[in-house]
Amino acid sequence: MKQLHRIVRKGQSHWVGDGFPVRTLFSYNTPDAEVSPFLLLDYAGPAEFTPASKPRGVGFHPHRGFETVTILYQGEVEHHDTAGNGGFIGPGDVQWMTAAKGLLHEEMHSAAFTRQGGVFEAVQLWVNLPAKFKMENPRYQSILKADIPSIKPDQHGSLIRVIAGAYHDVKGPARTYTPIDLWDLRLAVEQTLAFDLPETHTTIVFALKGCVEINRTATLNDTEVALFDRKGETIALTARKDSTLLIMSGEPINEPIAGYGPFVMNTQAEIRQAMADFNYR
């Protein structure tokens, strides 16, 4: 059994541009958090937006050295970047952007969502890249809801969507640089599921909504994150309410981290170079 390390019960709230009111649940600067290969977890919303004539969001900005994974639960997002990629994602879709050696990109509410307004809800996860891949060419994966396999583990409405890695013999569509499992879970009230995860891997559970009991010892509520010790192979989750959860597990990247805003490299010299390359202040 993987033992619970601690629960993050309150994230830091801020706006990203004018379209994403987010809470940061952990980052690579979080004290006492061994979260590698993951770097940051932001939860946007749920937030109600009124109809508007101008799209809200965040304009062109740089990234280097890692990947951003956006999982959309409500609303619509349009993406454009200087590597020539563009895409549209709606509820249930995932955008997996590998910045690698760097690009500029923008993320905006779609034209239709802007006109109509509505509720926006998304998760953005930053995933680190090993040093040998940090200066690869950028890559973009638009993973639509229809392409994400799902499993019904019980007869009560629970659902597991496999975005990356594998759940038993069901494989997710995302291509990753390091071994990662990323599962989007709906757990019906009073149902229990046990998940087998690799020994030594980082394991994190984020509760978007609901209430779950972890290993029969602790309770995870809305917008809280559970960080687990790497030793052990199993976690057990029991829903006390209908719950929406995100389970993240990955092989740690045992390399130094140097980060500044939208850049995550291995040394301060590489950060200074990134700032110079993008003329970023």
Side-chain angles (χ1 to χ4, degrees):
M1 186 75 71
K2 286 184 180 288
Q3 298 301 308
L4 179 66
H5 176 61
R6 69 183 178 98
I7 293 177
V8 180
R9 298 199 182 275
K10 185 177 181 181
Q12 181 180 3
S13 300
H14 61 283
W15 279 82
V16 176
D18 62 358
F20 309 115
V22 307
R23 278 163 281 186
T24 298
L25 282 306
F26 66 78
S27 77
Y28 53 86
N29 292 318
T30 300
D32 192 32
E34 294 184 346
V35 296
S36 177
F38 310 110
L39 293 168
L40 174 143
L41 181 69
D42 275 349
Y43 179 45
E48 180 82 35
F49 286 89
T50 58
S53 57
K54 181 181 177 182
R56 304 175 178 98
V58 58
F60 279 100
H61 58 284
H63 288 299
R64 174 177 282 180
F66 62 98
E67 305 179 283
T68 66
V69 181
T70 304
I71 304 168
L72 202 60
Y73 291 87
Q74 300 183 76
E76 296 175 345
V77 170
E78 292 184 5
H79 166 95
H80 297 93
D81 66 42
T82 51
N85 299 305
F88 166 95
I89 58 171
D93 298 339
V94 176
Q95 171 189 287
W96 199 298
M97 186 196 77
T98 305
K101 70 179 182 181
L103 45 63
L104 303 174
H105 80 140
E106 66 171 3
E107 297 165 292
M108 308 296 291
H109 294 178
S110 73
F113 184 77
T114 298
R115 289 192 304 269
Q116 298 167 6
V119 177
F120 186 90
E121 183 181 17
V123 167
Q124 187 167 94
L125 176 68
W126 290 12
V127 180
N128 201 10
L129 289 170
K132 64 182 178 181
F133 296 126
K134 283 186 178 290
M135 296 302 287
E136 292 284 308
N137 290 326
R139 185 173 76 184
Y140 180 82
Q141 300 175 72
S142 181
I143 304 171
L144 301 182
K145 179 180 179 180
D147 299 325
I148 300 172
S150 60
I151 301 141
K152 296 180 179 179
D154 57 45
Q155 303 301 312
H156 304 280
S158 298
L159 185 73
I160 303 167
R161 298 200 316 144
V162 184
I163 298 169
Y167 179 79
H168 296 306
D169 58 350
V170 177
K171 294 183 179 181
R175 293 172 290 155
T176 68
Y177 283 88
T178 55
I180 290 171
D181 291 308
L182 184 60
W183 304 328
D184 179 23
L185 172 64
R186 308 297 184 279
L187 190 57
V189 61
E190 299 306 326
Q191 299 306 300
T192 298
L193 285 178
F195 295 90
D196 293 326
L197 297 156
E199 178 90 27
T200 76
H201 278 207
T202 296
T203 298
I204 301 168
V205 177
F206 172 46
L208 285 79
K209 64 180 180 180
C211 175
V212 293
E213 193 174 85
I214 300 169
N215 295 344
R216 307 284 185 184
T217 61
T219 301
L220 191 68
N221 294 299
D222 290 354
T223 65
E224 295 181 344
V225 168
L227 307 174
F228 291 83
D229 292 337
R230 289 176 180 160
K231 186 178 180 181
E233 296 182 341
T234 305
I235 61 171
L237 303 176
T238 301
R240 298 308 177 199
K241 300 178 182 177
D242 288 341
S243 299
T244 300
L245 308 162
L246 191 64
I247 299 177
M248 299 153 267
S249 178
E251 182 178 85
I253 300 170
N254 295 315
E255 297 174 352
I257 290 177
Y260 180 81
F263 309 126
V264 181
M265 302 299 288
N266 297 105
T267 69
Q268 289 300 322
E270 291 170 330
I271 293 295
R272 290 191 293 271
Q273 185 61 56
M275 294 173 66
D277 290 345
F278 289 96
N279 192 24
Y280 183 85
R281 298 291 185 270

